[in-house]
Amino acid sequence: MVSALGMTAVLGGCGVTGGSAEVTLKLVAADYGDSAANSSKKYWDKLVEEYEADHPDVKIDVSVYSWNDVDRKVREMVAAGDPPDMAQIGAYADYVAQDRLYKADDLLSIRTQADFVGQLASAGQVKGVQYGMPFAASTRVLFYNKTLFAKAGITPPESWDDLAEDAEALKAEGVKVPYALPLGPEEAQAETMQWMLSGGGGYTDSVDGYGIDSPENIDTFSWLKDDLVGKDLTGPVAPGNLNRAAAFAGFAKGEVGMLNGHPSLMKIAAKNGIKYGMVPTPGHEGPSKSTLGVSDWMTAFRKNGHRDQVGDFLDFVYSEKNVLAFSREYDLLPVTSSASGTMAAADEDRHLRPFLEELLASELYPVGKTSWADVSSQVKQQIGKAVAPGGSPSGVLGHLQAAAIRAESAE
């Protein structure tokens, strides 16, 4: 998985079609499982069976694809003139620009729409109108290897200086990778934004324009280049060649002292017997005031109509029971306030609390910009050069800013 964030009325009984004619809704969804045993198909099959039992005149036809394929599959369906009624995917802004999607206002009950976590609902907006409905969310925290930290006699870092000192101590103890900095093409946009936020910057400025080469971001990457990479405190390869999956695998082998991670790293580490701890992302002066939040999106295409049926089904999808069931199955964060409140109070979900606590202070990618896909691709290709020997943080970030402005102007 590359991507990752109620008090709703569950309508039952007669359905909403108003007649006996059967309506079939097509839903394309992403698979969050890592095996056949926990494939998302099982989740959807159970949910659809329950819904159809109360709505005999509505059928839900669900196709589940891997994250490697789902966005491409939906693009192909749209290009062929046969979009699904609903698609649960990684981005939505391109379809908004093509005027293909229903607004959330057109579909959801007021209670459902009002129940979305505020940051996630806002990230689903284009020009103040919500089109992307958050479906799954996650945040990032700093993971550290408790065994390696104890051996080095150090405590988890709160600031950048602490992190550098801890990395030096780990290096002195022979730890192979004191800090894993994955700026490789798999998910460099995530690690980049996490560090930008910790330095008081981000991809955008206060008026929602791109601000990639802001003084804060230049300072952040200058520090990374000089105080971490330049002192040989990262590895095992150059950051621009290190992908997230490889960094996680290194942590699970006990070779990495610290790295930024999302909830799925917990299972990977525990499976390998790694004793780990989690703390908020260190910032320039202390714990970062904001962290990276990631959401995947539910969208609804207008071409086939069926607005009432789609809206009623989505109200059911976003019921507290169903949001909690999905979040618990895949160690993700609920996208509704009601389910978040239940999770925060439930002992069975205590392992997710560090991430849940970060959600309200999280910032998401600027996914409402149709230019973001191009900008993200450029970041993946270029950002590693900013911390490479002889590299120029200001030069690389300036190049990315210019590319972002061109992409934005082309929209």
Side-chain angles (χ1 to χ4, degrees):
M1 180 174 64
V2 177
S3 71
L5 312 188
M7 293 165 57
T8 54
V10 179
L11 304 180
C14 63
V16 294
T17 60
S20 59
E22 184 177 288
V23 170
T24 298
L25 302 178
K26 294 182 180 180
L27 166 64
V28 172
D31 196 348
Y32 290 80
D34 55 13
S35 68
N38 69 345
S39 168
S40 294
K41 186 177 188 306
K42 290 191 173 183
Y43 170 82
W44 286 110
D45 285 349
K46 181 178 179 182
L47 185 147
V48 166
E49 180 181 7
E50 183 178 347
Y51 183 80
E52 289 180 347
D54 283 339
H55 301 77
D57 48 357
V58 179
K59 299 297 179 185
I60 312 294
D61 178 9
V62 182
S63 300
V64 176
Y65 297 93
S66 77
W67 273 108
N68 293 329
D69 300 321
V70 65
D71 288 287
R72 173 183 56 79
K73 184 64 178 178
V74 172
R75 284 195 303 271
E76 291 172 352
M77 294 172 73
V78 171
D82 186 29
D85 296 281
M86 295 164 283
Q88 186 265 302
I89 48 181
Y92 64 87
D94 284 354
Y95 299 126
V96 175
Q98 297 164 16
D99 195 27
R100 296 183 184 275
L101 299 183
Y102 280 116
K103 303 172 185 176
D105 285 345
D106 295 333
L107 301 168
L108 302 177
S109 69
I110 293 173
R111 292 184 71 184
T112 299
Q113 197 172 358
D115 199 25
F116 287 133
V117 173
Q119 288 93 325
L120 305 180
S122 296
Q125 296 178 356
V126 174
K127 297 180 180 178
V129 178
Q130 185 178 359
Y131 295 89
M133 293 163 276
F135 185 77
S138 70
T139 54
R140 308 295 166 100
V141 298
L142 184 81
F143 283 72
Y144 66 95
N145 184 309
K146 285 187 173 182
T147 303
L148 298 179
F149 267 58
K151 192 176 295 185
I154 54 178
T155 56
E158 296 185 358
S159 68
W160 289 357
D161 286 345
D162 294 341
L163 189 149
E165 289 175 8
D166 284 350
E168 290 278 13
L170 291 167
K171 181 182 178 182
E173 284 292 323
V175 174
K176 186 175 181 180
V177 183
Y179 181 86
L181 182 65
L183 296 178
E186 179 185 73
E187 208 194 13
Q189 83 287 357
E191 187 76 10
T192 296
M193 184 167 174
Q194 185 85 349
W195 276 100
M196 285 178 170
L197 291 171
S198 74
Y203 282 119
T204 56
D205 57 27
S206 59
V207 293
D208 200 35
Y210 283 108
I212 297 173
D213 63 345
S214 69
E216 293 85 358
N217 291 341
I218 291 172
D219 286 347
T220 295
F221 276 85
S222 296
W223 185 87
L224 283 172
K225 179 177 182 294
D226 297 337
D227 290 69
L228 277 190
V229 181
K231 294 182 179 178
D232 198 27
L233 300 176
T234 60
V237 296
N241 296 325
L242 181 64
N243 283 326
R244 174 77 61 194
F248 278 16
F251 189 80
K253 292 177 183 176
E255 298 173 350
V256 173
M258 299 174 280
L259 79 170
N260 289 324
H262 50 65
S264 69
L265 182 55
M266 293 187 294
K267 281 185 178 179
I268 299 171
K271 185 178 180 181
N272 286 272
I274 300 298
K275 296 180 180 179
Y276 64 88
M278 300 179 292
V279 294
T281 304
H284 192 267
E285 303 286 329
S288 179
K289 295 178 181 177
S290 184
T291 190
L292 171 65
V294 178
S295 180
D296 302 320
W297 304 98
M298 179 69 76
T299 59
F301 288 84
R302 293 192 295 110
K303 182 172 182 181
N304 299 328
H306 309 314
R307 183 184 74 172
D308 290 344
Q309 293 87 350
V310 169
D312 187 64
F313 176 66
L314 290 178
D315 276 341
F316 178 72
V317 167
Y318 284 110
S319 68
E320 181 178 339
K321 178 187 73 170
N322 289 327
V323 170
L324 277 172
F326 182 85
S327 301
R328 285 169 171 163
E329 176 66 29
Y330 299 108
D331 277 338
L332 293 165
L333 302 182
V335 297
T336 60
S337 297
S338 56
S340 294
T342 298
M343 181 174 278
D347 190 57
E348 68 179 285
D349 301 312
R350 61 186 180 278
H351 62 295
L352 287 171
R353 284 178 191 157
F355 301 93
L356 199 58
E357 290 166 358
E358 295 292 309
L359 186 59
L360 294 179
S362 67
E363 291 190 29
L364 282 76
Y365 302 129
V367 290
K369 293 178 174 290
T370 53
S371 58
W372 169 242
D374 287 340
V375 174
S376 176
S377 178
Q378 287 287 323
V379 170
K380 291 177 181 182
Q381 295 170 33
Q382 303 292 332
I383 195 64
K385 298 175 183 177
V387 298
S392 167
S394 61
V396 172
L397 293 175
H399 173 81
L400 289 170
Q401 174 70 7
I405 290 174
R406 288 195 300 269
E408 186 80 345
S409 299
E411 301 300 335

